[in-house]
Amino acid sequence: MKTLYFFLLTLCGVLTQDREFGVKYPDKPICAVRRFSVSIPCSYSYPQKHQVEQKLWCSMNSNTDVCLNPPYVYNSSSNTKSDFEFTGDDKSDCTLLIHNVQFSYSGEYRFRFITNGDRFTGKPGVTLQVTDLKVSLIRLSGNGTLKQGDSLNLRCDVNCTHTSSQFVWSKMNQSLNTSGPVLHFPAVTVRDSGKYTCTWKTNKTSGSETYELLVEGDGLDQWAIWSIILVIILILVIVAAVIYYRKRVEAQEKNSGNGAEKAKDAENTHDKQSKPQLSSVPPLDVETLHEEEVTYATVCVKDKKPAQGRDYTGKQKEDDSVIYSTVINT
Ligand SMILES: *[C@@H]1O[C@H](CO)[C@@H](O)[C@H](O)[C@H]1NC(C)=O
Ligand SMILES: *[C@@H]1O[C@H](CO)[C@@H](O)[C@H](O)[C@H]1NC(C)=O
Ligand SMILES: *[C@@H]1O[C@H](CO)[C@@H](O)[C@H](O)[C@H]1NC(C)=O
Ligand SMILES: *[C@@H]1O[C@H](CO)[C@@H](O)[C@H](O)[C@H]1NC(C)=O
Ligand SMILES: *[C@@H]1O[C@H](CO)[C@@H](O)[C@H](O)[C@H]1NC(C)=O
Ligand SMILES: *[C@@H]1O[C@H](CO)[C@@H](O)[C@H](O)[C@H]1NC(C)=O
């Protein structure tokens, strides 16, 4: 019974024990990668009868007054937006989230708060280190441009000592099955080319950096592929040309064949037409010819000299020409 009473009394005393003014930060410096965000964990306490009126964060870089007076990077009473965001509360959390960290943000930060009864600054403050994440290529074999079969490491460096940080590698958003700051390639291939991203993570911040790996083709491979494609195209062109040419020749032959036949036909018809004509017409014997000439001569003569015509009928062929010429002349 006595012990129970004592226990309750102790419990009561513990529960009612008043807290003291205080601020707690991480002991070690906090590392942040430039352009990324970092969260600075912080907790604070004060006697329970007090009420928090103002919460302030100051940077020892810009504040020469040990944070007793402005400027502050954060002031809960002013609504100015900046890279410094308070993500805590009015009770015990005073976490500060810094966006888009710059090198100039490096330094010591202190939390100060004002209650309805008192004011308090946590000192010493917390230190922020800003760094760049670097991805570097380390050749393990070969020199000059990267070629297939070369051995290399991609190493991710962050210039600050951090106990529990994690490196995650990814290629084109695809997470790679490795952990640690080094990505090892025993023998690169063309397919290893691409953008590799190293992401560095702690539970307060993260950062990432990308490196583009360019592995040159064997030369032979590319050449072989292009040569094969070229040869195929050439063969196709040649085959097409040959087929076209043959068709043309065939067509021409057909045409010219027809033409020849037609020509022959034409010749034949001509012959047939002309020869029978010739043959149908009875060969002119001297007599008929003579007669015709005579008639002609007669007609001619008749026109001009009807009287002489009659005389001429009985005359020889040799005279005809003379008469004819005379007729022409007249
Ligand atoms: C915080 O900002 C408010 C409004 O601008 C100002 O009245 C107050 O004095 C500031 N606090 C300190 C401690 O300077
Ligand atoms: C590559 O390394 C070899 C020996 O390791 C050397 O003889 C050669 O000159 C180097 N070539 C270049 C381009 O550095
Ligand atoms: C790393 O940080 C230290 C101090 O924090 C600095 O002296 C050094 O120049 C940095 N090195 C690089 C490569 O940034
Ligand atoms: C790849 O990463 C970029 C940049 O981080 C992001 O915008 C994009 O949505 C990602 N794509 C996929 C498919 O995850
Ligand atoms: C990832 O690596 C582990 C060991 O390093 C291995 O057991 C596992 O099969 C790998 N997974 C894939 C998908 O490569
Ligand atoms: C973050 O890491 C710190 C030590 O660096 C550890 O004490 C804390 O519990 C961790 N927080 C989370 C949420 O993992």
Side-chain angles (χ1 to χ4, degrees), residues 103 129-132 134 157-161:
F103 281 128
Q129 280 181 356
V130 181
T131 180
D132 265 332
K134 276 183 200 152
D157 279 309
V158 61
N159 190 18
C160 55
T161 50

Side-chain angles (χ1 to χ4, degrees), residues 41 43 90 97-98 150 178 196 205 216 284 295 305:
S43 61
D90 278 344
L97 177 61
I98 308 175
D150 283 353
T178 104
Y196 290 83
T205 189
E216 248 188 21
L284 295 167
T295 349
K305 293 172 180 175

Side-chain angles (χ1 to χ4, degrees), residues 21-23 44-46 50-58 67-79 86 88-94 110-122:
F21 279 97
V23 178
Y44 67 112
S45 61
Y46 51 90
H50 290 259
Q51 289 232 309
V52 178
E53 285 176 347
Q54 272 185 52
K55 301 168 294 271
L56 311 147
W57 271 96
C58 81
C67 298
L68 296 178
N69 287 299
Y72 296 101
V73 293
Y74 171 76
N75 174 348
S76 60
S77 298
S78 78
N79 278 338
F86 188 80
D89 55 33
D90 278 344
K91 304 222 156 59
S92 62
D93 189 351
C94 48
R110 291 180 180 177
F111 179 63
R112 176 175 170 82
F113 62 101
I114 299 168
T115 69
N116 52 0
D118 222 329
R119 36 196 71 192
F120 186 84
T121 304

